[in-house]
């Protein structure tokens, strides 16, 4: 791209990316393109990705692109497999992620106006707060966008009553290539609906919605295609008030029975529901219509030979309507084949598929009561299992043409055009409409900048597909002859990626369900930070097109381990465990660099048993003296309280309050005191598994030596270790465990329910509080109700629930983000705090020291009027105890942490070195320092030597460090005000940190210090 074009895009600041990996991730859609087709597509790596945030920016972008003939490819969430979001002619991908606002809701008129980048799930959440809901939505509801569905076209859940999406749109604003904005309504909507962005960029959509009401379901099974068609027709003929009608075919039912269930820590957490191998029809209808529908179904079922299935199956199919991709784990790839057929030819179509397609053809579908010509139509979304890693995938892919040809012979048409069926636009859109759209495109986009190569023509790919269609019987023979194996079958590692993780990378459906709820993504807004993006990158790596670099290592380590993605995944992939496995692979085994602050933590952990560099002998300084006899280290009990590092050294109110609360509740427990070590969660997520294992063994031995068999924690990360991680690792290492983990909130709640403990009535002022579900106690351990029970039992407390709670609770942003990108962490913290402010909470209660630390730092940085209070602190105050204010120590520790984070970067180390030139030059071995000073007096000598610096410095620095370290410690001490105990340990800690970091960083540091060093030597020569 020309330099002047780049200068225009730079105005978008952080909302434009020229990064090659990022551009690659925006250069594809959900489909896995066959290897034989890929060369025909050409280079689909865009020159840039830009994220406009309003219509004005879209106008500027359109005018600039037209004037400079730069292709623009609009992109919603790329959840279609037709290539509509693939940049065939490079240029700029326009990502609508930052245009996702609900602009106006008209409850009386039942309409809503939105920006195009909002997902259906996000919109529905907003509508429900106003007593409204969506009329219809795609089965990709969790990830696809309103603008994307309008551009793509189609039908989905609710289409039985409300038809195609285009029929439910009131108006759309379209930014034309000239920058003109058209407000399209009625018939003019044909100029944007199904047009896949070739006529302009959608900036607003107004659509019809409906009143929120309860939905009931019912499921029927039919074992014959012709009986199935009769059943559908009978339901339509009775004009029953059904809202949605969807179905799966027998092969889909069979594969769903085999698909892996969602697991948690290696154990299934879903019930296996066995479906009959039949056409399973799921009906959805409003509560008010339940009697009319349910009373008619038995007679219709008897007349058509249908079987009424159990409520359990009906609910299973309805609840799983967004998760059909679980079957992809059995392939691990799927060839898409989507068509629309008239209902009166459905049985003939399905029968032909059964006869002519020998490969497993799994289908889902939706029924539309009034199709485009007023007659019932059926949308069939078909998938053929295959493996994109093998050549046979090319042959199986050809069967999509068979599916298409059979549909067309039965009066059907393609579901969409995109790249592959651009030569079938007349059939997909209708001749008159296609001609109108083509003429409009020619008139308003003479330069052809708006999503070129889509809908019409299709270039080489369209020609190839058209040619292959003519030889479809021959293509079919090859596709049917390919042996296809069903079932998960990871074999061995691929380029050092563990076998199961390698399989999951291809089993990922690229649906995007994980994206918007991933805090790593929404804190930054770029695809590379999402699970979907990481899975795609792993495919590229395993196929040899990418290599590990520090940026990608950091990307995997930056996952906050919140586990939201595990719940969202349409294929039930164990995403967070896969990332965890890669942490150890990358850091422990391949010796790549972890986040630099983790190296300071590991040095402190090795020296003192904690991550805050506090002295081990001071670990129990917080413990209340009056409890020593009953609960101190000399007391033996079956329960041991495990405080953790942060409660021991920083937020000591947590430890004090926790033991006060347990004591008041009559719990017999002991405490390890200085024998307690860090739980080692930071080392696990840092990939320092060697140190993790060493620390875990010490903790297990300490608990057993205390005679305890139950560990009570206040910190969720500590609880997670004792409850889930330690047992798994102990089993793997052959260590006897037999330790139970409980959180103090569970124990106190049990006492409350048993009437063995109660909070006293007091005259404390009423207060409104909310609860933050910490990820590691919530999604990881499932402890949701005990903390709430505890809060509600405190007198004079008004409890309010945040919008995102329990399984859906948003991550605080994690200390992982805090130590990597503090500004991003503050944004994530604000997202969570805003939810509390929206419901009028005065205090956010939490029980995770790290969440509290992160939320307090975020609240201070963003100046948000809310107090973050630990749950045990809150409860202990209700018992009359006075507790220390943790905020001063949090601020002090964060000041040190933030300064250390800035220091332990290439820029930070380079800046530090510029303050030590005299010492650095004197520390150079073999007389190099004297030589460098002498060369500073010779014009051009140092400049000539400059290319050698990247070679010399990595060799010299390790030899220089022993002499340089005292000066470095002095400079660091002057730059970073730290507590005395930490400063005293720096001579031990800092060399270890530098030894581990500098080999990885030196390549980035040298270019930053070379010219300043040369300038310094020249200046010294001039002065002397």
């Amino acid at each position: 791209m020309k330099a002047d074009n780049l200068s225009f895009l730079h105005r978008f600041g952080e909302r434009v990316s020229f990064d090659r990996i990022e551009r690659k991730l925006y250069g594809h859609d959900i489909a896995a393109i066959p290897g034989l087709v890929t060369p025909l597509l050409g280079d689909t790596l865009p020159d840039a990705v830009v994220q406009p945030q309003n219509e004005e920016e879209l106008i500027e972008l359109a005018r600039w692109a037209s004037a400079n003939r730069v292709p623009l490819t609009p992109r919603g969430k790329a959840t279609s497999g037709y290539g509509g979001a693939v940049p065939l002619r490079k240029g700029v991908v326009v990502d609508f992620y930052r245009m996702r606002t609900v602009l106006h809701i008209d409850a009386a008129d039942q309409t809503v106006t939105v920006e195009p980048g909002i997902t259906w799930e996000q919109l529905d959440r907003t509508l429900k707060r106003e007593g409204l809901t969506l009329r219809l939505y795609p089965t990709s509801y969790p990830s696809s966008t309103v603008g994307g569905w309008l551009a793509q076209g189609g039908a989905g859940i609710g289409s039985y009553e409300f038809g195609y999406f285009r029929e439910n749109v009131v108006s759309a604003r379209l930014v034309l290539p000239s920058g003109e904005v058209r407000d399209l309504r009625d018939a003019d909507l044909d100029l944007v609906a199904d047009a896949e962005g070739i006529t302009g960029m959608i900036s607003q959509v107004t659509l019809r919605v409906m009143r929120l009401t309860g939905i009931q379901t019912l499921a029927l099974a039919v074992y014959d295609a012709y009986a199935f068609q009769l059943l559908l027709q009978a339901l339509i003929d009775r004009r029953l008030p059904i809202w949605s009608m969807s179905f799966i075919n027998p092969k889909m039912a069979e594969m769903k029975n085999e698909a892996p269930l969602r697991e948690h820590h290696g154990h299934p957490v879903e019930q296996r529901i066995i479906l009959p191998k039949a056409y399973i029809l799921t009906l959805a209808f409003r509560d008010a219509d339940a009697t009319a529908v349910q009373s008619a179904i038995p007679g219709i079922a008897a007349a058509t030979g249908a079987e009424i299935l159990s409520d359990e199956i009906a609910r299973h199919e309805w609840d799983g309507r967004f998760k059909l991709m679980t079957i992809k784990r059995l392939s691990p790839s799927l060839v898409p084949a989507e068509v629309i057929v008239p209902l009166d030819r459905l049985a003939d179509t399905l029968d032909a598929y059964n006869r002519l397609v020998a490969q497993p053809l799994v289908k889902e579908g939706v029924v539309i009561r009034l199709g485009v010509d007023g007659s019932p139509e059926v949308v069939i979304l078909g998938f053929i299992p295959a493996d994109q890693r093998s050549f046979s995938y090319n042959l199986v892919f050809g069967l999509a043409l068979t599916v298409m040809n059979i549909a067309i012979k039965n009066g059907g048409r393609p579901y969409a055009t995109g790249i592959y069926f651009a030569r079938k636009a007349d059939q997909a859109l209708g001749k008159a409409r296609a001609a109108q759209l083509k003429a409009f495109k020619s008139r308003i986009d003479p330069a052809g900048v708006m999503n070129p190569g889509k809908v019409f023509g299709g270039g080489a790919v369209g020609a190839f597909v058209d040619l292959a269609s003519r030889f479809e019987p021959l293509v079919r023979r090859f596709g049917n002859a390919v042996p296809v194996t069903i079932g998960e079958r990871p074999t061995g590692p691929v380029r050092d990626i563990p076998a199961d993780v390698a399989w999951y990378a291809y089993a990922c459906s690229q649906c995007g369900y994980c994206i918007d709820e991933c805090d790593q993504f929404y804190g930054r807004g770029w695809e590379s930070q999402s699970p979907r993006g990481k899975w795609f990158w792993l495919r590229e790596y395993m196929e040899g097109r990418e290599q590990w670099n520090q940026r990608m290592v950091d990307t995997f380590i930056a996952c906050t381990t919140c586990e939201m993605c595990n719940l969202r995944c349409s294929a039930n992939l164990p995403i967070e465990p896969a990332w965890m496995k890669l942490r150890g692979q990358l850091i422990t085994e391949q010796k790549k660099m972890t986040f630099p602050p983790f190296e300071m933590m590991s040095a402190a952990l090795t020296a003192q048993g904690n991550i805050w560099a506090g002295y081990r002998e001071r670990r129990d300084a917080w413990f209340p003296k009056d409890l020593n006899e009953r609960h101190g280290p000399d007391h033996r009990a079956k329960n041991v309280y495990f405080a953790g590092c942060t409660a021991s050294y920083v937020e000591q109110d947590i430890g004090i309050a926790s033991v006060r609360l347990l004591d008041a509740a009559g719990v017999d427990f002991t405490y390890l005191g200085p024998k307690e070590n860090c739980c080692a969660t930071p080392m696990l997520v840092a990939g320092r598994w060697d140190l993790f294992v060493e620390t875990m063994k010490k903790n297990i031995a300490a608990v057993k030596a205390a005679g305890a068999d139950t560990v009570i924690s206040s910190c969720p990360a500590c609880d997670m270790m004792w409850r889930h991680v330690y047992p798994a690792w102990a089993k793997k290492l052959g260590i006897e465990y037999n330790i139970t983990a409980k959180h103090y909130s569970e124990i106190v709640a049990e006492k409350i329910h048993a009437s063995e403990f109660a909070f006293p009535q007091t005259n404390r002022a009423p207060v409104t509080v909310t609860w933050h579900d910490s990820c590691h106690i919530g999604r990881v351990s499932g402890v949701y109700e005990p903390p709430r029970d505890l809060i509600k039992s405190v007198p004079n407390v008004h409890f309010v629930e945040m919008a995102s709670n329990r399984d859906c609770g948003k991550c605080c942003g994690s200390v992982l983000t805090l130590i990597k990108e503090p500004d991003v962490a503050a944004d994530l913290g604000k997202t969570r705090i805003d939810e509390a402010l929206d419901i009028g909470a005065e205090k956010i209660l939490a029980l995770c020291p790290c969440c509290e630390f992160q939320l307090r730092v975020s609240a201070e940085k963003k100046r948000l009027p809310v107090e973050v209070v630990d749950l045990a602190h809150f409860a202990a105050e209700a018992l009359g105890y006075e507790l220390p204010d943790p905020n001063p120590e949090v601020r002090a520790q964060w000041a040190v942490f933030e300064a250390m984070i800035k220091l332990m970067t290439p820029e930070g180390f380079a800046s530090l070195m510029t303050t030590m030139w005299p010492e650095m030059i004197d520390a150079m071995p073999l007389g190099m320092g004297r030589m460098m000073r002498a060369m500073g007096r010779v014009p051009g000598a140092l400049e000539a030597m400059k290319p050698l610096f990247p070679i010399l410095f990595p060799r010299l620095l390790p030899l220089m460090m022993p002499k340089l370290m005292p000066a470095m410690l002095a400079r660091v001490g002057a730059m970073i005000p730290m507590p005395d105990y930490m400063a005293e340990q720096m001579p031990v800690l800092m060399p270890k940190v530098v030894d581990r970091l500098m080999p990885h960083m030196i390549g980035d540091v040298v270019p930053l210090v070379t010219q300043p060093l040369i300038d310094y030597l020249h200046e010294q020569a001039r002065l002397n």
Side-chain angles (χ1 to χ4, degrees):
M1 185 177 286
K2 296 178 181 178
D4 54 345
N5 287 338
L6 289 175
S7 65
F8 169 82
L9 293 173
H10 279 299
R11 71 179 60 186
F12 289 94
E14 294 183 353
R15 294 181 290 110
V16 64
S17 179
F18 303 101
D19 179 80
R20 184 188 57 79
I21 291 174
E22 207 68 65
R23 290 184 290 132
K24 175 178 280 193
L25 296 177
Y26 285 84
H28 70 96
D29 64 9
I30 198 171
I33 300 170
L36 292 178
V37 176
T38 302
L40 302 176
L41 283 176
D43 185 1
T44 63
L45 185 71
D47 297 304
V49 183
V50 67
Q51 296 177 333
Q53 58 186 6
N54 54 49
E55 186 180 82
E56 290 69 28
E57 290 187 345
L58 290 178
I59 293 169
E60 290 180 22
L61 198 56
R63 288 173 177 164
W64 166 81
S66 293
N68 294 279
R69 294 182 174 271
V70 176
L72 298 179
T73 303
R75 186 180 193 270
K77 274 293 195 297
T79 56
S80 165
Y82 286 88
V86 176
L88 290 181
R89 298 182 192 168
K90 298 173 72 68
V92 176
V93 168
V94 184
D95 177 25
F96 284 83
Y97 169 68
R98 298 185 193 272
M99 293 183 64
R100 58 187 192 278
T101 303
V102 177
L103 299 170
H104 179 67
I105 297 175
D106 188 331
D109 198 36
Q110 295 183 36
T111 62
V112 61
T113 301
V114 299
E115 290 182 322
I118 193 169
T119 66
W120 293 99
E121 183 177 40
Q122 291 167 341
L123 173 56
D124 206 18
R125 282 186 198 146
T126 303
L127 289 172
K128 285 176 178 175
R129 291 198 287 268
E130 304 295 327
L132 300 169
T133 190
L134 299 167
R135 279 182 164 200
L136 73 168
Y137 47 80
T139 51
S140 54
Y141 164 101
S143 61
S144 62
T145 65
V146 171
W149 206 26
L150 179 58
Q152 169 80 36
I157 304 299
S159 284
Y160 179 77
E161 178 177 352
F162 291 110
Y164 292 96
F165 177 49
R166 182 250 182 267
E167 298 161 24
N168 294 270
V169 175
V170 177
S171 66
R173 286 177 66 83
L174 186 69
V175 178
L176 303 182
S178 65
E180 177 191 350
V181 180
R182 294 269 186 97
D183 196 342
L184 304 177
R185 298 170 179 271
D186 304 322
D188 284 347
L189 286 168
D190 286 342
L191 302 176
V192 64
D194 312 301
E196 301 193 19
I198 67 170
T199 56
M201 295 179 286
I202 301 166
S203 63
Q204 278 186 29
V205 181
T206 299
L207 57 144
R208 296 182 180 88
V209 294
M210 66 180 185
R211 297 288 178 202
L212 179 63
T213 182
I215 295 294
Q216 297 188 33
T217 58
L218 190 150
L220 301 103
V222 182
Y223 296 85
D224 172 77
Y226 289 92
F228 182 50
Q229 179 178 314
L230 287 174
L231 171 63
L232 296 178
Q233 191 62 59
L235 290 167
I236 292 171
D237 290 344
R238 285 290 296 271
R239 304 184 68 83
L240 294 176
I242 295 168
W243 171 57
S244 184
M245 198 181 285
S246 55
F247 66 90
I248 61 173
N249 74 328
K251 180 56 69 173
M252 176 69 89
E254 181 182 355
M255 287 189 67
K256 287 179 76 171
N257 288 339
E258 298 175 18
L261 299 171
R262 182 168 65 83
E263 293 186 346
H264 186 58
H265 291 284
H267 306 290
V269 291
E270 295 178 321
Q271 182 183 359
R272 171 73 72 187
I273 304 295
I274 300 300
L275 304 174
K277 190 179 175 182
Y279 293 98
I280 298 176
L281 177 66
T282 302
L283 309 178
F285 40 88
R286 299 172 182 83
D287 286 346
D289 299 321
T291 301
V293 174
Q294 291 166 348
S295 62
I297 291 301
I300 294 173
T304 58
E307 174 189 349
I308 300 175
L309 299 177
S310 66
D311 290 342
E312 184 181 47
I313 289 178
R315 181 49 56 184
H316 174 268
E317 287 300 281
W318 180 250
D319 290 345
R321 64 194 183 280
F322 306 133
K323 288 206 169 186
L324 292 165
M325 287 297 105
T326 52
I327 64 167
K328 195 172 185 292
R329 284 183 61 175
L330 303 174
S331 312
S333 310
L334 294 174
V335 173
E338 303 175 337
V339 295
I340 302 172
V341 297
L343 175 59
D344 60 10
R345 300 297 298 274
L346 175 63
D348 291 340
T349 302
L350 297 176
D351 180 64
Y353 290 155
N354 292 335
R355 287 185 292 103
L356 299 177
V357 180
Q359 300 293 359
L361 176 56
V362 298
K363 296 184 284 289
E364 63 162 327
V366 295
V367 181
I368 302 161
R369 187 169 58 86
L370 299 175
V372 292
D373 64 354
S375 300
E377 290 184 329
V378 179
V379 175
I380 300 174
L381 308 177
F383 305 96
I384 305 170
D387 190 339
Q388 70 191 77
R389 299 171 295 178
S390 66
F391 179 80
S392 63
Y393 183 75
N394 293 279
L395 306 178
V396 176
F397 203 88
L399 293 175
L401 300 175
T402 303
V403 173
M404 178 66 65
N405 284 0
I406 290 171
I408 291 173
K409 287 177 182 177
N410 284 281
R413 61 187 186 275
Y415 183 70
T417 52
I419 299 170
Y420 307 105
F421 300 113
R423 300 273 178 115
K424 298 185 183 295
D426 286 355
Q427 292 165 310
L429 303 174
K431 285 187 177 181
R433 188 173 169 210
Q436 177 194 21
L437 186 62
K438 195 170 187 178
F440 182 67
K441 165 75 170 175
S442 299
R443 189 168 67 252
I444 55 96
D445 189 17
V449 301
M450 207 58 76
N451 209 9
K454 317 297 167 53
V455 184
F456 301 111
V461 174
F464 175 79
V465 172
D466 191 53
L467 178 65
S469 294
R470 299 173 190 273
F471 295 94
E472 182 272 321
L474 179 62
V475 172
R476 185 198 320 154
R477 291 184 64 181
F478 285 110
N480 282 335
V482 171
V484 171
T485 305
I486 302 298
E488 281 194 306
R489 50 194 184 279
T491 50
V494 182
R495 292 194 74 192
D496 297 324
I497 301 300
D500 56 344
V501 178
W503 180 270
Y504 299 149
Y506 288 96
C508 168
S509 67
Q510 293 287 294
C511 66
Y513 289 11
C514 56
I515 294 178
D516 283 353
E517 295 301 317
C518 169
D519 60 295
Q520 185 181 346
F521 171 80
Y522 67 70
R524 299 161 180 87
W526 291 101
E527 186 85 12
S528 63
Q529 303 301 306
S530 71
R532 176 171 79 169
K534 294 177 198 175
W535 286 127
F536 188 86
W537 186 89
L538 284 174
R539 293 182 193 176
E540 293 291 290
Y541 169 75
M542 288 187 288
E543 293 175 18
R545 292 187 290 273
E546 291 294 341
Q547 303 296 328
W548 285 108
N549 57 26
Q550 193 58 49
R551 181 205 161 188
M552 288 312 300
V553 172
D554 288 352
T555 294
F556 280 87
I557 295 176
C559 163
T560 63
T561 72
C562 79
E563 298 200 8
M564 179 69 85
C565 54
N566 294 346
L567 297 180
R568 304 275 303 174
C569 182
S570 68
N572 282 341
L573 296 176
I575 300 174
E576 190 277 332
W579 297 170
M580 187 64 75
K581 189 173 289 188
L582 288 177
R583 293 171 195 262
Q585 181 90 16
L586 292 167
I587 307 305
T588 300
E589 296 182 23
Q590 298 182 20
K591 307 303 180 186
K592 298 187 186 299
M593 185 175 73
T594 190
F595 288 172
F598 280 134
E599 295 297 359
M600 183 63 78
M601 292 181 194
S602 68
L605 176 56
T606 301
Q608 299 294 339
N610 69 87
I611 61 172
W612 292 102
Y615 286 120
R616 179 180 285 280
E617 59 266 26
R618 296 291 297 163
R619 190 174 187 104
D620 61 352
W622 62 270
F623 196 80
K625 298 295 183 285
D626 61 299
L627 295 183
N628 257 326
E629 185 176 343
R630 290 199 301 278
H631 303 296
D634 294 333
H635 173 70
R636 292 185 70 81
K638 288 297 183 181
N639 300 311
V640 60
Y641 172 67
F642 192 89
C645 298
T646 305
S648 298
Y649 292 100
V650 182
E651 295 167 303
Q652 294 183 338
D653 63 309
I654 297 174
I656 297 169
S658 297
V659 296
R660 290 289 188 198
L661 195 57
L662 290 168
D663 178 65
V667 179
D668 182 32
F669 67 94
T670 185
Y671 168 58
L672 297 176
K675 294 179 182 178
E676 179 185 290
N677 290 279
C678 172
C679 71
T681 295
M683 296 303 101
L684 187 73
V685 299
R688 290 293 311 274
W689 288 7
D690 50 346
L691 191 49
F692 164 77
V693 170
E694 178 187 327
T695 307
M696 177 193 74
K697 289 178 177 178
K698 291 178 182 177
N699 279 329
I700 293 174
V703 168
K704 289 184 175 180
D709 59 15
T710 300
V711 173
I712 304 171
S713 302
S714 49
C715 169
C718 297
D719 176 87
M720 175 177 70
M721 291 297 105
W722 289 103
R723 194 185 297 249
H724 301 295
V725 181
Y726 282 7
W729 276 81
K731 182 178 180 181
K732 183 163 58 174
L733 298 173
I735 300 170
E736 186 178 349
Y737 192 66
N738 299 324
I739 296 172
T740 299
K742 301 273 283 191
H743 190 266
Y744 76 77
S745 66
E746 295 177 278
I747 293 174
V748 175
E750 287 170 4
K751 295 282 187 179
I752 292 171
H753 289 310
S755 300
E756 296 175 8
F757 171 72
F759 288 96
Q761 292 294 327
T762 67
N763 294 322
R764 296 175 69 197
V767 62
T768 299
V769 305
T770 191
W771 175 246
H772 167 67
D773 287 294
S774 299
C775 304
H776 289 161
I777 200 69
R779 273 185 293 275
V780 173
S781 294
V783 179
Y784 291 120
E785 301 314 316
R788 288 172 168 81
D789 292 343
L790 199 159
I791 294 167
K792 293 173 185 177
S793 68
V794 176
N796 302 324
V797 171
H798 174 53
F799 177 73
V800 289
E801 198 77 77
M802 282 192 268
S804 302
N805 61 76
R806 296 178 172 82
D807 274 359
C808 298
K810 288 190 180 297
C811 179
C812 70
S814 165
V815 171
L816 262 168
T817 311
L818 201 60
I819 66 174
K820 170 63 176 168
E821 296 170 89
D823 291 342
V824 172
D827 290 338
L828 291 172
K830 182 179 184 302
T831 298
R832 190 55 167 155
I833 293 170
D834 283 344
E835 285 198 36
L837 295 175
D838 287 345
I839 55 172
E842 301 168 66
K843 299 177 189 284
I844 298 175
L845 302 185
L847 50 68
C848 173
C850 294
C851 290
E852 292 164 26
F853 192 106
Q854 151 71 352
L855 292 173
R856 285 176 180 136
V857 170
S858 298
E860 186 161 310
K861 277 197 168 187
K862 298 295 183 179
R863 298 182 180 179
L864 300 172
V866 71
E867 184 181 359
V868 179
V869 181
D870 177 71
L871 174 63
H873 184 129
F874 184 77
E877 282 190 332
L879 293 173
Y881 290 105
E882 290 188 12
L883 297 158
D885 179 6
N887 286 291
E889 186 63 20
V890 167
R891 293 189 190 100
Q893 290 284 357
W894 175 239
V896 176
F897 231 81
E898 191 169 30
M900 282 289 186
I901 291 166
K902 291 177 181 177
L903 171 63
M904 288 186 285
T905 63
E907 295 78 12
F909 276 123
S911 177
L912 178 63
M913 287 180 179
T914 61
T915 69
M916 301 187 300
W917 292 138
E919 293 88 347
M920 282 188 66
I921 295 166
D922 289 341
M924 289 180 178
L926 307 173
M928 287 285 293
R930 290 192 302 274
M931 184 188 75
M932 295 284 281
R933 286 194 171 98
M935 291 179 70
R937 300 186 186 97
V938 180
L942 289 171
E943 284 75 10
M945 189 182 176
K946 193 173 181 179
L948 296 176
F949 278 46
I951 300 170
L952 290 173
F953 258 98
R955 289 167 171 78
L956 293 175
L957 206 57
L959 302 175
M960 295 161 57
M961 270 303 162
K963 293 182 179 179
L964 196 57
M965 188 54 66
M968 181 177 285
L969 289 169
R971 299 297 196 283
V972 170
M975 292 166 57
I976 303 174
M978 60 184 77
D980 291 343
Y981 65 84
M982 190 179 292
E984 290 165 5
Q985 295 181 70
M986 277 295 121
V988 174
L989 302 180
M990 198 68 182
K992 293 180 180 179
V993 173
V994 172
D995 284 349
R996 289 192 64 93
L997 293 181
M998 200 50 71
H1000 298 286
M1001 281 192 182
I1002 190 68
D1004 294 321
V1005 172
V1006 171
L1008 298 174
V1009 300
T1010 298
Q1011 191 58 50
L1013 175 57
I1014 291 172
D1015 293 342
Y1016 170 80
L1017 289 166
H1018 282 320
E1019 179 64 16
Q1020 289 301 301
R1022 186 184 66 81
L1023 294 174
N1024 296 325

